[in-house]
Amino acid sequence: MTILFASDLDRTLIYSKNSRGQEVSVQDFAAVEWIDEKPTAFMTNRGLQLFQQITSSITFIPVTTRTAEQYNRITGLFHSVEKPKYAIVANGAVILEDGKPLTEWSDKVIAKMQQNRTSIEHVLPQLEAFTKNEFVLKVMQAESWFVYLIIDEQAFSVEEFEKLSQIFYEQGFTLSHQGRKVYIMPTCINKWTALQFMKERIAAKTVIAAGDSMLDFDMVINADHSFIPSHGEAIHKGGHLPPHVSITNQVGVLAGEEILKKVSNYLL
Ligand SMILES: [Mg+2]
């Protein structure tokens, strides 16, 4: 029986200085990403050890909103285990196989974006409703896939965000607020759709998933066993979560460790 462990990375397994929390002392952190030789993402040492144990015994697929280039910076995860054969990046728009995008997959996503009128050229004019808000500092593009905003968290208004989420949702976008970023994601660029494709491709029977944000929500709902860190945006989606979805007791980087502990217990 093939078990697949599919997990979001940022704020689920790996954490920036701002999101990792105060509970862990500096010497208990392992850096996993560096930008200009400066460490930018962390796990606990125990978390990294668990990650290495898990991924050397079952298939692991990272499922991240990072672009391929941003994903490739996380070299610290794969110092002592092989880099996974597959990675879902750009929130599901791109599937990497041995580091190269599967064009058969991305072509389908592009066709769907055109059909739904949710390509970047469609979203930019609609963004005016957003960019006039004072919390928007910068509009960024993730390759040709989607747009995200860098925001001033102090000036950010949750009410305004929810109002705009509803408007954009009706036009085919999912909005997600994660720290200093707000993602405006075409609903057809979806982690679960890409993961489903991979599940069939590798004939996995069981999927264990983990993720913190609204962009992970479909994936954690549709997997067989799932985890959401208790600091995660995804736990605020209305209604009850189904019983196969667990919320961690810990927050921050310790929630990441807790998820890995529970996945490794499941495998024993
Ligand atoms: Mg995340």
Side-chain angles (χ1 to χ4, degrees), residues 8-14 63-65 176 178 183 191 210-216 229 231:
D8 172 51
L9 299 175
D10 293 273
R11 292 174 177 245
T12 297
L13 296 187
I14 69 173
V63 188
T64 176
T65 303
S176 171
Q178 301 179 37
Y183 293 89
K191 290 183 173 185
D212 67 300
S213 82
M214 283 315 298
L215 302 177
D216 301 303
H231 55 259

Side-chain angles (χ1 to χ4, degrees), residues 115-130:
Q115 192 191 331
N116 295 356
R117 299 183 59 78
T118 53
S119 303
I120 284 186
E121 75 254 28
H122 296 119
V123 74
L124 286 177
Q126 298 179 55
L127 261 181
E128 287 201 3
F130 241 129

